[in-house]
């Protein structure tokens, strides 16, 4: 049975930067299979690339999960949308769980539809915290 490596594992095994390994894949110098949004490199392809047997992949110290969430808030004007978006962006600029995936938030206000879309990408706990913050901000506006 074939053994597969992630781009990160190959980079660590070869003492290269992840971007360098991705560049080798894009250039066709290193064969890789694309599975979803990630590449996997078969042991035999890595050995053909290096010309030597490959050691066992490094053990990942910590498993993590990521979330991708789109929040759509309707009936929200430009000023209020700006307040919500700025508050969320300011909140994620602070310290978060070390070692987790980075947290990204993008905000788009459709003025003609009075709709704010927030796209949240990151670790589960960080994403949940952003969603709780958005929920609080929306409730404040509705009851305040």
């Amino acid at each position: 049975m074939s053994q597969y490596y992630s781009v990160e594992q190959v980079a660590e095994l070869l003492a290269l930067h992840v971007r360098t390994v991705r560049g080798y894949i894009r250039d066709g110098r290193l064969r890789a299979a694309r599975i979803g949004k990630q590449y996997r490199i078969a042991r035999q392809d890595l050995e053909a690339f290096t010309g030597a047997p490959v050691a066992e992949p490094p053990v990942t110290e910590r498993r993590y999960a990521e979330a991708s969430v789109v929040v759509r808030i309707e009936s929200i004007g430009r000023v209020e949308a700006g307040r919500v978006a700025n508050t969320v962006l300011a909140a994620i600029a602070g310290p978060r769980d070390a070692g987790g995936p980075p947290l990204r938030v993008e905000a788009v206000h459709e003025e003609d539809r009075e709709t704010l879309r927030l796209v949240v990408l990151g670790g589960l706990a960080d994403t949940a915290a952003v969603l709780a913050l958005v929920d609080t901000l929306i409730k404040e506006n509705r009851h305040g």
Side-chain angles (χ1 to χ4, degrees):
M1 186 166 162
S2 294
Q3 183 172 8
Y4 291 90
Y5 299 87
S6 70
V7 171
E8 292 79 11
Q9 289 172 323
V10 170
E12 189 169 327
L13 281 168
L14 302 180
L16 296 171
H17 196 279
V18 173
R19 284 188 224 149
T20 303
V21 174
R22 286 193 185 113
Y24 290 153
I25 292 168
R26 274 192 304 273
D27 295 344
R29 293 165 52 183
L30 175 60
R31 283 189 57 188
R34 190 168 179 109
I35 301 171
K37 293 184 177 185
Q38 298 181 349
Y39 287 106
R40 291 291 181 251
I41 298 96
R43 175 187 281 267
Q44 61 267 25
D45 292 328
L46 184 55
E47 289 176 347
F49 177 76
T50 62
V54 177
E56 288 298 311
V59 177
T60 304
E61 292 181 18
R62 182 174 172 186
R63 176 180 283 174
Y64 67 88
E66 294 180 329
S68 302
V69 180
V70 177
V71 178
R72 190 172 110 207
I73 305 164
E74 296 181 353
S75 302
I76 186 166
R78 182 182 54 80
V79 172
E80 184 62 18
R83 185 181 75 80
V84 169
N86 288 337
T87 301
V88 170
L89 292 171
I92 70 166
R96 291 186 312 278
D97 183 24
L103 181 62
R104 287 188 45 206
V105 176
E106 294 182 22
V108 176
H109 183 249
E110 298 176 46
E111 202 163 337
D112 57 328
R113 293 185 175 154
E114 290 193 322
T115 301
L116 174 63
R117 290 185 197 275
L118 296 171
V119 180
V120 183
L121 308 164
L124 301 180
D126 288 337
T127 301
V130 169
L131 295 176
L133 174 60
V134 170
D135 186 53
T136 299
L137 293 169
I138 298 308
K139 286 178 181 174
E140 282 178 2
N141 185 45
R142 190 175 24 185
H143 296 105

